[in-house]
Amino acid sequence: MSAIESVLVENRVFPPPEAAVKGARISGMKAYEALCAEAGQDFEGFWARLARENLAWTKPFTRTLDESNAPFYKWFADGELNASANCLDKHLGTPVENKDAIVFEADDGAVTRITYKQLLARVSQFANALKAQGVNKGDRVIIYMPMTIEGVVAMQACARIGATHSVVFGGFSAKALHERIIDAGAVAVVTANYQMRGGKELPLKAIVDEAIAMGGCNTLKQVLVYMRTATACNMVAGRDQTFDEALEGQSTECVPVPVNAEHPLFILYTSGSTGKPKGVQHSTAGYLLWAKVTMDWTFDIKPSDVFWCTADIGWVTGHSYVAYGPLAAGCTQVVFEGVPTYPNAGRFWDMIQKHKVTVFYTAPTAIRSLIKAAEGDEKVHPARYDLSSLRILGSVGEPINPEAWMWYHKHVGGERCPIVDTFWQTETGGHMITPLPGATPLVPGSCTLPLPGIMAAIVDEVGKDVPNGSGGMLVVKRPWPSMIRNIWGDPERYKKSYFPEEMGGTYYLAGDGAVRSEDRGYFRITGRIDDVLNVSGHRLGTMEIESALVSMTELVAEAAVVGRPDDMTGEAVCAFVVLKRSRPTGEEAQKIATQLRNWVAKEIGPIAKPKDIRFGDNLPKTRSGKIMRRLLRSIARGEAITQDTSTLENPAILEQLAEKL
Ligand code: WT7
């Protein structure tokens, strides 16, 4: 990598290629600016226009934004619609109905296609099965499924009958699943017997059983099991049914239930700065509107596109850009069951070539690992594949480092595809700050400018704008339709987490630090300002990992978790642990570290496993007993300690904690 590619101040600029500007839905910066001006001049009118143009309403709304109970905003509040009807039924009688909605590629490479019309029938039948199981409008359904057509069907079927789904990522543990079943008060769990990943058959249903066996799932009545593989799984009579059993005799027609615009479409749990995950509650109309509009704007989606978002439905990206957005936009999308490195690290490139993908959306962490693989093995280098179908590339989940950006641009995009570096969050429902492929000049590592209607800014602690070039906190000054509506069952936490009083109580605080460039005013995200880590694009709360560690009560006395930069995963988890026994060293320390890692994997999921574990006799604390996290962060990074350590009771522990296993 040449030095110029690693400098901190990025001044390479890539104007959008003419081919991308021509015919784009937002073509050229003037068109972008005109939309921003429209939103600036008539904020509600702008959103009302989009909501009328992009959604099919069973009862039109008359009121756009209700701020009377801020920050509990309501959008289009007297309107009614159905999300599934807006993704499926609306294409009936159009040329879309007979085209592939989903091209599914299984872990082993087997391909299954389903047209829009067939998908509608499948969703309707599943919706009828849910109804027959007693699932009603407003009930919560947990979906713990692999990446499959059936996973999308389950989500759409819930939406069709007005049930609120909560998808739990298939990599989460029984404990995490248990917590979510209870918090959501779920009446049903939709799962699969097993999932296939990288040639391995991994249990899902057994984990559901384990979660339910932990007790307290009092609202839960049904478990529906998709038989993904031929291997039998435990079935509890009277509670569990296979998909085949549940679908038997059910009609493939189901009238979509109109719901209020504000009806909770889904709850998705994500990590915050305290131990307990937050149930991010999203609306129906506002959420779906933005999923659809961002497909059009950010990805410039056309009817001829083959869209592929590699995210799992267990994350918000898999909600907005797999389960809802692409269907609302009426394009063909690829859904992939497996992992990018199986059977080899050329899998993504092979699939792009095979399915003639035109718009490809993935995470920097995947790109970085594929760069490494391609550099080590020419056979999996993108140059070996025909990627000429691609016209737009996307990045999501974490900042993309300029080195990875350049490689993605050159080797995957053939220097002709704009890269949209989309900044957003579980809470924002859809893209917030992102380039537009047919308008925005690109700067590697920058998510550039807010979408029209998104009033993003960078401010200080009291909400005052900071000048370009100065770092501050990223906020959104006005509500937007797809924003989080509440933390499920905890309105106080919603207010406290996102709408700081010191800023006036109505600015949405993203939790990220950011800076705008002096020349263009482009946004660059500098990382979380709270105790949240981003490991491989997955959000993890340091407190969650700490509670998992200290819940090993026989062994662990105290634990502190911080992040440190990592070349591959963006950030890595670093845990400082005090044991109840004497401080271990050498081989014994290794053994205990493995034990701790496995415990965290069991408590939360393998993604939360600490990469580094350091043992100390105690932790550095202030006089008032607060753990000095800044100091731990420096130690984790291997930096020289510049902080004042004079208050430390036992300065010798700094040396202990700096010691790598
Ligand atoms: C956090 C949100 C967005 C869906 C997937 C992650 C980080 C996300 C970017 C980006 C820099 C990014 C932020 C944000 N993040 N996209 N393009 N550039 N940082 O959703 O799990 O809710 O995580 O991911 O830190 O706050 P999430």
Side-chain angles (χ1 to χ4, degrees), residues 382-406:
R384 296 286 291 260
Y385 301 81
D386 177 6
L387 306 182
S388 60
S389 58
L390 288 172
R391 64 179 194 95
I392 293 168
L393 300 175
S395 171
V396 60
E398 52 181 318
I400 178 164
N401 48 309
E403 292 85 349
W405 196 101
M406 288 305 295

Side-chain angles (χ1 to χ4, degrees), residues 557-560 578 617-629 631-632 644-651 653-654 657:
E558 213 178 355
V578 181
D617 288 327
N618 45 41
L619 296 175
K621 289 187 184 159
T622 61
R623 262 182 231 277
S624 60
K626 261 187 83 177
I627 296 172
M628 297 171 79
R629 285 170 189 282
L631 195 62
L632 291 178
D644 178 15
T645 55
S646 57
T647 59
L648 279 183
E649 271 173 56
N650 175 9
I653 59 157
L654 295 184
L657 295 173

Side-chain angles (χ1 to χ4, degrees), residues 268-271 280 311 315-318 321 361 364 395-400 420-428 430-431 433-434 445-447 474 508 510-513 524-530 532-534 537-540 571:
L268 185 59
Y269 287 85
T270 189
S271 299
V280 173
W315 310 113
V316 75
T317 311
Y321 303 108
Y361 191 33
S395 171
V396 60
E398 52 181 318
I400 178 164
V420 289
D421 174 1
T422 60
F423 169 85
W424 59 297
Q425 310 174 293
T426 305
E427 292 88 342
T428 69
H431 303 152
I433 308 178
T434 175
S446 167
C447 51
L474 180 62
Y508 169 81
D512 282 289
R524 191 165 55 81
I525 308 298
T526 51
R528 299 285 307 192
I529 52 170
D530 51 10
V532 169
L533 306 184
N534 191 323
H538 298 320
R539 206 161 130 178
L540 297 168
E571 263 187 306

Side-chain angles (χ1 to χ4, degrees), residues 80-91:
E80 286 179 9
L81 76 174
N82 180 280
S84 164
N86 268 280
C87 293
L88 300 169
D89 308 58
K90 84 159 184 203
H91 301 303

Side-chain angles (χ1 to χ4, degrees), residues 100-105 111-114 332-336 355:
D100 289 334
I102 296 177
V103 176
F104 173 69
E105 185 163 319
V111 174
T112 315
R113 295 165 183 280
I114 184 165
T332 293
Q333 72 169 318
V334 173
V335 170
F336 176 44
H355 302 301

Side-chain angles (χ1 to χ4, degrees), residues 287-514:
Y287 169 79
L288 193 66
L289 172 65
W290 205 224
K292 160 73 167 64
V293 171
T294 51
M295 284 299 295
D296 289 347
W297 288 357
T298 311
F299 297 124
D300 190 39
I301 280 296
K302 308 275 167 62
S304 55
D305 274 312
V306 178
F307 178 75
W308 183 18
C309 164
T310 66
D312 193 282
I313 52 166
W315 310 113
V316 75
T317 311
H319 282 60
S320 306
Y321 303 108
V322 177
Y324 290 105
L327 298 176
C331 64
T332 293
Q333 72 169 318
V334 173
V335 170
F336 176 44
E337 177 177 42
V339 297
T341 48
Y342 178 82
N344 61 47
R347 185 70 183 263
F348 277 3
W349 323 134
D350 176 61
M351 285 181 60
I352 291 170
Q353 170 179 291
K354 181 156 58 168
H355 302 301
K356 301 200 164 48
V357 172
T358 59
V359 182
F360 179 64
Y361 191 33
T362 197
T365 191
I367 298 165
R368 285 192 297 266
S369 75
L370 297 178
I371 294 174
K372 197 170 160 202
E375 281 173 356
D377 177 4
E378 197 229 322
K379 284 199 296 297
V380 297
H381 197 283
R384 296 286 291 260
Y385 301 81
D386 177 6
L387 306 182
S388 60
S389 58
L390 288 172
R391 64 179 194 95
I392 293 168
L393 300 175
S395 171
V396 60
E398 52 181 318
I400 178 164
N401 48 309
E403 292 85 349
W405 196 101
M406 288 305 295
W407 190 90
Y408 197 29
H409 183 251
K410 183 168 175 195
H411 298 290
V412 183
E415 291 179 337
R416 74 180 182 278
C417 305
I419 297 179
V420 289
D421 174 1
T422 60
F423 169 85
W424 59 297
Q425 310 174 293
T426 305
E427 292 88 342
T428 69
H431 303 152
M432 298 296 279
I433 308 178
T434 175
L436 297 170
T440 319
L442 305 173
V443 170
S446 167
C447 51
T448 72
L449 296 168
L451 284 170
I454 303 299
M455 306 307 183
I458 302 177
V459 301
D460 64 14
E461 302 73 45
V462 291
K464 220 176 116 252
D465 284 305
V466 301
N468 288 357
S470 308
M473 290 179 262
L474 180 62
V475 297
V476 188
K477 293 186 168 179
R478 298 285 287 133
W480 67 101
S482 69
M483 70 192 294
I484 175 175
R485 291 304 194 272
N486 203 348
I487 291 178
W488 184 255
D490 200 347
E492 268 314 303
R493 192 176 176 198
Y494 165 79
K495 265 168 79 166
K496 262 181 63 187
S497 309
Y498 301 113
F499 301 93
E501 284 299 330
E502 311 79 70
M503 295 184 185
T506 61
Y507 283 7
Y508 169 81
L509 181 73
D512 282 289

